[in-house]
Amino acid sequence: MKKGKDKDQSMIMDLIAELRTSLVATLLLAVLLCGVYPVVVWGVARGIFLHKANGSLLYHDGRIVGSSLIGQEFKGPGYFHPRPSAAGEGYDAAASGGSNLGPTSQKLIDAVAERISGYRTENGLAENVPVPADAVTASGSGLDPHISIANAALQARRVASVRGLSEAAVHKKIEARTEGRDMGIFGEPRVNVLLLNLDLDGKL
Amino acid sequence: MDIFGWIQLALFVAVLFGLTKPVGIYLARVLDAKGATFLDPAIRPVERLIYRISGIDPDREQSWRQYAVSIIAFSLVGLLFTYAVLRLQNLLPLNPQGFGPVRPDLAFNTAASFTTNTNWQSYGGESTLSYFSQMVGLVFHNFVSAAMGIAVAVALIRGIAGHSAKSIGNFWVDLVRINLFLLLPICVFYSVFLVSQGVVQNFQPYVTAEVVERLEGTADSSQTIAQGPVASQAAIKMLGTNGGGYMNANAAHPYENPTPLSNFIQMLSIFLLPSGLTYTLGRMVKNQRHGWAVWLVMTLLVLAGTFAAWSSEAAGNPRMQTLGVSAADGNMEGKEVRFGIFGSALFATITTDASCGAVNAMHDSFTPLGGLVPLLNMQLGEVIFGGAGAGLYGMLVFVVLTVFLAGLMIGRTPEYLGKKIEAYDVKASAIAVLIPILFTLGFAALAAVSAWGVAGLNNAGPHGLSEMLYAYSSAAGNNGSAFAGLNANTPWYNTTLGIAMLAGRFLIIVPVLALAGDLARKKRVETSGGSFPVGGGTFVVLLTGTILIVGALTFLPALSLGPVVEHFTLYGSVRLF
């Protein structure tokens, strides 16, 4: 009996010791991993890649007009249009996210049908021309800055006619804002919509 | 399924294979308290200092029970630490957006989530948490929970490799060494690489941009762009297979995963440590064929999942194609243009093979079979490379069961690397396999018949069931990815998911440590010609079969009612939900 009691007591002492070690180790590791580490990375990142560490921001006349990585809404016919966005009310860069609608969702299919007819009308496309998938579906982040090359090409005529430019000139702009696969292998070729529109406005 | 996808896949497997041995060797040194590494001059003094201040005796050997008590004590303190940080974030520094305190049920859910390496997120990061909460409250667990997983895996390997031993190591030494010598140094370089790709790392308030086109009918012509110390968090969230996004959209967000190259490296970093650990296993038990056999089983299952998800996403949504969407483009809902179909399908497979749970596309919007892959991956126990450490100890539990089944088939006492597998070991293994199943199916069933469960759904019909099933599979499997349409930020969901996460972590770790302790205690007998070989083709087939049969038998009925029905509805009817 007495021996059992001793054993219980020593187990409690062990537990207290473990909790004390846990507490001290938590604080020490927190200082290192949650203080020193992110601040060192911050310092180094600022030293080498200041522009990127601060969000790849774009300026015009000294004012911030966006980030080259973050998509923006464009609706006017003279601009290239980005993908539909489910972030907040659309391209809300403080509330990223997708629609999260599943493949058999009535809401999703209805929305896509509406976007398809809108896309065909504004770009003067015949009923039998397939519409690029990225033009009528929302991205995962809701902030996708890119569209596919096919999507940009189909919008070129509209933008050219509104701006009084030749189609060839607009295609040239598209080409200039096209990013290829990384290292020729990774990912997909794409067009940065914000940069392309800024370029058209002569604000780059 | 274009040629560039195949090239990227081949490259991925090749690079992973190439890194496995060097990482495995380095891991073995880190996990040996006396092991020498090239970082010793810089880090040894810090290591000793931490031991001294914390009162850790690095020479002390722990029994499996003591090891378990240390883990539970440390996790409890960490859980409370994060809970406190979240509840008090309005009083703590680095809160430029002035976010208020996190609600109690959400704070509990989030603290449980990060303590258990799950990183399920009922909240949107950039709209809920301060820089301090993310950088301290969450990143702390991103490091230590990964280290804990690796520690348990290695304790189990020590048990297998031991000979009439009482100890399976010292948790505190494992914890400190894994953080200092492994995770931290890699993350410093990795974070800087991520910044070079465009991931942000700053402490400034959210940026307000004046948008280029002022839209009619909108009062505001500005765009608020969330900022923060993202790179340092994104690095460890991947390397530690945590997966908790800084931003709501996680690795789909351009600030968290800006380029296809950063995407490729992020995928690699999820598998880096789990893959290296298979080599460490072979090295420590002195049977490298066994280590590679385990690696091969994992790789084959990755490839199978990738083909299934990729082909289904590439085929796209037939309903959209009827309306006029280009069939060649595949299913782009919820995906980023820069990653495309392949980059999203591979990421989804990897993040759920491992217990990472970061997403670069919205799984909720995948095609039915494309979404089935991540769901089934989690239900198989996340042993396909799996979480940092957690994947390997989960897989070794399946190895013990495989050896046991093989023993039954040939009528011999089962034996694993010279250790007799007895009733105690099989029971411990069976418990570890059954716990996540129990909590996944139990809670999913409860949610499906409860008003609170159905109220959270974003989709109706079979897809709605998938959303609930996915949530509890993710929680009990400590994955953290979601069919994110589900609004789980309610007291019922937050609490049940929190319980599932804690059970899926600690009710597995304890039996695994018990198994480690029991194996350590046993005498090691010489393997003879009659021993079941754990290195050849037969073993690979049997182990793969055991994993698939246990997973399939358990979850097929539920999966049939979710993604499988949805698939046939999508192709065989005009019905929508």
Side-chain angles (χ1 to χ4, degrees):
Chain A
M1 188 68 202
K2 187 166 181 290
K3 205 176 166 197
K5 212 173 188 175
D6 281 354
K7 205 178 163 192
D8 283 353
Q9 237 168 22
S10 83
M11 264 186 70
I12 290 168
M13 295 303 289
D14 274 358
L15 194 64
I16 291 171
E18 290 295 304
L19 283 170
R20 189 194 153 275
T21 306
S22 300
L23 196 65
V24 180
T26 295
L27 294 176
L28 287 177
L29 288 173
V31 168
L32 187 64
L33 305 171
C34 313
V36 177
Y37 159 64
V39 169
V40 165
V41 172
W42 176 70
V44 174
R46 287 177 65 82
I48 319 179
F49 308 107
L50 181 62
H51 170 68
K52 285 176 168 167
N54 280 344
S56 307
L57 300 175
L58 300 165
Y59 293 84
H60 179 68
D61 285 345
R63 290 193 303 268
I64 300 170
V65 294
S67 159
S68 60
L69 293 176
I70 305 287
Q72 256 177 40
E73 190 70 275
F74 287 95
K75 291 191 170 155
Y79 285 112
F80 282 88
H81 297 174
R83 303 181 62 189
S85 163
E89 300 291 307
Y91 287 95
D92 181 342
S96 58
S99 75
N100 284 307
L101 294 170
T104 53
S105 158
Q106 182 84 54
K107 210 168 141 189
L108 174 64
I109 301 300
D110 287 352
V112 169
E114 203 187 309
R115 291 171 192 153
I116 288 175
S117 86
Y119 188 82
R120 281 186 172 144
T121 311
E122 66 192 19
N123 294 306
L125 303 179
E127 283 298 305
N128 58 359
V129 177
V131 173
D134 66 287
V136 292
T137 52
S139 64
S141 63
L143 303 172
D144 195 342
H146 299 113
I147 55 177
S148 66
I149 295 175
N151 183 355
L154 287 172
Q155 297 188 46
R157 198 193 315 164
R158 183 195 77 226
V159 173
S161 79
V162 173
R163 289 183 177 257
L165 297 167
S166 73
E167 264 188 68
V170 173
H171 277 290
K172 219 168 180 175
K173 294 273 189 201
I174 294 177
E175 226 168 273
R177 296 299 153 197
T178 298
E179 299 162 27
R181 298 176 200 275
D182 287 12
M183 306 167 100
I185 297 172
F186 300 110
E188 305 292 330
R190 55 209 180 270
V191 179
N192 189 309
V193 183
L194 179 58
L195 292 179
L196 177 58
N197 284 334
L198 278 170
D199 194 0
L200 286 167
D201 278 356
K203 287 184 180 167
L204 270 186
Chain B
M1 299 179 81
D2 63 351
I3 182 73
F4 286 98
W6 292 103
I7 294 173
Q8 291 178 75
L9 183 59
L11 200 62
F12 181 83
V13 175
V15 175
L16 186 69
F17 175 75
L19 287 171
T20 298
K21 185 177 173 181
V23 170
I25 292 174
Y26 184 70
L27 266 162
R29 289 198 188 138
V30 171
L31 294 160
D32 175 358
K34 307 267 183 297
T37 74
F38 67 100
L39 292 170
D40 281 0
I43 298 182
R44 274 281 186 187
V46 183
E47 184 191 359
R48 289 203 194 97
L49 187 71
I50 292 179
Y51 292 156
R52 201 162 64 233
I53 303 177
S54 314
I56 296 166
D57 172 8
D59 296 324
R60 181 180 168 222
E61 297 274 326
Q62 290 182 309
S63 70
W64 80 261
R65 281 193 181 80
Q66 290 166 327
Y67 204 97
V69 168
S70 296
I71 281 185
I72 288 167
F74 183 66
S75 300
L76 186 68
V77 168
L79 184 83
L80 294 173
F81 171 72
T82 295
Y83 184 83
V85 167
L86 297 177
R87 294 285 292 138
L88 300 173
Q89 74 169 359
N90 52 325
L91 307 175
L92 292 164
L94 292 176
N95 184 9
Q97 302 311 115
F99 292 124
V102 179
R103 244 181 28 231
D105 60 307
L106 179 58
F108 161 71
N109 179 280
T110 306
S113 172
F114 281 75
T115 303
T116 57
N117 197 261
T118 309
N119 293 27
W120 171 271
Q121 297 171 291
S122 285
Y123 60 90
E126 70 268 45
S127 56
T128 317
L129 297 184
S130 73
Y131 296 165
F132 188 88
S133 291
Q134 301 249 32
M135 188 174 93
V136 179
L138 305 187
V139 166
F140 175 73
H141 289 292
N142 285 353
F143 276 98
V144 300
S145 70
M148 187 184 292
I150 296 171
V152 173
V154 171
L156 180 55
I157 300 176
R158 288 186 191 123
I160 298 164
H163 181 71
S164 306
K166 286 204 176 75
S167 163
I168 53 170
N170 181 321
F171 169 69
W172 299 112
V173 173
D174 290 339
L175 173 77
V176 171
R177 287 184 60 85
I178 293 165
N179 276 307
L180 261 51
F181 285 93
L182 182 70
L183 302 177
L184 188 58
I186 297 178
C187 279
V188 170
F189 288 97
Y190 185 13
S191 305
V192 174
F193 163 76
L194 289 176
V195 177
S196 80
Q197 297 299 298
V199 179
V200 295
Q201 178 79 7
N202 61 56
F203 298 97
Q204 67 201 16
Y206 293 2
V207 168
T208 305
E210 209 168 295
V211 294
V212 177
E213 182 193 19
R214 186 172 184 152
L215 298 169
E216 279 176 46
T218 49
D220 196 7
S221 63
S222 66
Q223 185 186 37
T224 304
I225 308 177
Q227 303 290 322
V230 179
S232 52
Q233 185 161 339
I236 185 61
K237 92 168 189 215
M238 292 296 172
L239 186 69
T241 66
N242 296 280
Y246 191 97
M247 308 286 189
N248 186 45
N250 209 312
H253 197 294
Y255 272 170
E256 208 153 329
N257 190 4
T259 65
L261 182 63
S262 69
N263 192 53
F264 186 80
I265 300 295
Q266 290 195 3
M267 291 190 290
L268 258 184
S269 66
I270 295 174
F271 274 176
L272 183 71
L273 299 180
S275 182
L277 272 170
T278 62
Y279 192 89
T280 312
L281 165 72
R283 195 175 170 94
M284 286 174 68
V285 302
K286 300 194 173 57
N287 185 339
Q288 211 61 62
R289 270 172 63 84
H290 177 52
W292 283 119
V294 169
W295 187 87
L296 186 62
V297 170
M298 292 172 167
T299 303
L300 292 174
L301 289 169
V302 173
L303 292 176
T306 305
F307 291 141
W310 183 19
S311 58
S312 186
E313 292 309 302
N317 186 330
R319 303 297 182 83
M320 290 188 191
Q321 287 157 7
T322 313
L323 295 171
V325 170
S326 165
D329 291 355
N331 173 28
M332 284 301 287
E333 181 68 27
K335 294 189 182 68
E336 307 295 297
V337 168
R338 61 192 181 281
F339 306 140
I341 299 292
F342 175 77
S344 306
L346 180 61
F347 196 109
T349 309
I350 287 172
T351 196
T352 49
D353 279 333
S355 81
C356 183
V359 296
N360 78 348
M362 296 302 128
H363 296 180
D364 213 348
S365 296
F366 271 33
T367 57
L369 297 186
L372 174 74
V373 170
L375 185 52
L376 183 62
N377 277 341
M378 297 188 298
Q379 292 171 340
L380 293 179
E382 291 171 5
V383 294
I384 311 168
F385 289 104
L392 187 68
Y393 66 67
M395 183 57 106
L396 290 178
V397 161
F398 274 110
V399 169
V400 167
L401 292 178
T402 303
V403 170
F404 171 64
L405 292 175
L408 288 183
M409 282 189 252
I410 55 173
R412 282 178 57 106
T413 310
E415 187 186 287
Y416 173 39
L417 292 167
K419 292 291 176 80
K420 279 205 172 64
I421 300 297
E422 293 162 303
Y424 184 91
D425 310 305
V426 176
K427 280 183 204 160
S429 303
I431 290 171
V433 169
L434 289 173
I435 286 291
I437 293 172
L438 184 71
F439 282 86
T440 301
L441 291 178
F443 275 137
L446 179 66
V449 296
S450 305
W452 58 264
V454 181
L457 298 183
N458 185 48
N459 285 274
H463 200 82
L465 180 69
S466 302
E467 282 186 341
M468 289 183 274
L469 192 60
Y470 199 104
Y472 290 103
S473 302
S474 175
N478 291 162
N479 185 273
S481 68
F483 270 15
L486 183 78
N487 174 22
N489 193 7
T490 61
W492 267 99
Y493 267 118
N494 277 335
T495 311
T496 50
L497 288 165
I499 293 169
M501 290 187 274
L502 290 169
R505 180 73 165 179
F506 297 106
L507 294 187
I508 293 178
I509 282 184
V510 172
V512 164
L513 287 174
L515 176 66
D518 193 56
L519 289 174
R521 163 189 80 71
K522 289 175 204 244
K523 284 201 177 67
R524 190 170 188 154
V525 295
E526 279 303 309
T527 48
S528 66
S531 309
F532 177 61
V534 287
T538 315
F539 172 73
V540 168
V541 172
L542 273 180
L543 178 57
T544 311
T546 307
I547 295 164
L548 291 177
I549 288 168
V550 170
L553 284 181
T554 321
F555 289 105
L556 264 189
L559 291 172
S560 314
L561 296 174
V564 176
V565 164
E566 195 189 16
H567 174 75
F568 288 114
T569 314
L570 184 67
Y571 279 90
S573 75
V574 292
R575 199 158 167 212
L576 292 170
F577 298 93

